[in-house]
Amino acid sequence: MDDPTEQSQWRALHQLLARMDGEIGRVYTDRDIQGLKPSWVIELLRLHVRGPMTITELAESVGRTHSALSQKVAAMRTAGLVQTEAGPDARAKMVALTPRAQELAGLLAAEWRATEAAIIELEAELPYPMSQVVRDIEERLAQKSFYQRVTEKLAE
């Protein structure tokens, strides 16, 4: 049997994003910030700006599923960046920044703005910016979902 994973149209994109995240991680390492992952910054900044939220509210605010965000919150709690407590009802957990994360918020906001500026600069150097590619793909997927496309290929 051939290994189907030897062919991947988007492997390069995943590797590119991982490499860019790794380089943002180097920014934290250069500043002696331990245990912070670039993929957590949006949630940390959202909590800094909006204050404590339930996991459901935070997930909705960043466009993630409750399950995915619950796992991320657990990892951020282990890293000492957020704390959780019982929410307004027994099923909900409130998430808040720890004092350590509050201290990092200014740097995280500056890094976010610097990252966005670097992306704008990079896209200006390209003949077809990645943000336009994403918009074009989203437009096509609104017409025919990825699920539909995959299940059609499975039926062939």
Side-chain angles (χ1 to χ4, degrees):
M1 174 183 202
D2 291 336
D3 181 354
T5 66
E6 292 294 325
Q7 296 180 10
S8 175
Q9 293 298 308
W10 283 7
R11 181 180 297 132
L13 174 61
H14 288 284
Q15 291 171 337
L16 171 66
L17 293 173
R19 189 169 62 245
M20 291 171 75
D21 269 357
E23 291 185 17
I24 292 170
R26 284 179 53 197
V27 171
Y28 307 147
T29 300
D30 290 349
R31 285 154 179 80
D32 201 31
I33 301 169
Q34 304 301 316
L36 175 63
K37 294 185 178 192
S39 61
W40 298 346
V41 173
I42 189 169
E43 290 85 4
L44 295 172
L45 287 174
R46 195 62 51 91
L47 288 167
H48 177 70
V49 171
R50 298 185 185 178
M53 290 188 248
T54 66
I55 290 177
T56 299
E57 292 167 338
L58 185 56
E60 288 173 359
S61 81
V62 298
R64 302 290 306 256
T65 66
H66 181 279
S67 176
L69 201 68
S70 183
Q71 291 175 11
K72 190 181 272 195
V73 165
M76 291 188 296
R77 187 177 54 238
T78 299
L81 298 169
V82 299
Q83 52 199 17
T84 58
E85 59 185 45
D89 65 51
R91 298 170 301 170
K93 278 189 182 175
M94 291 297 292
V95 183
L97 295 182
T98 62
R100 175 178 175 233
Q102 290 283 359
E103 290 175 14
L104 292 173
L107 172 66
L108 297 181
E111 176 269 308
W112 186 277
R113 289 181 182 103
T115 297
E116 288 296 311
I119 290 169
I120 289 168
E121 176 183 81
L122 179 60
E123 284 199 335
E125 298 172 13
L126 301 174
Y128 196 68
M130 185 59 123
S131 57
Q132 184 63 51
V133 172
V134 171
R135 286 190 296 273
D136 291 346
I137 291 172
E138 287 175 337
E139 184 179 304
R140 298 318 180 282
L141 292 176
Q143 296 166 10
K144 183 177 179 181
S145 76
F146 198 63
Y147 170 81
Q148 289 173 301
R149 293 166 191 269
V150 171
T151 55
E152 285 175 7
K153 297 300 178 196
L154 283 170
E156 289 180 356

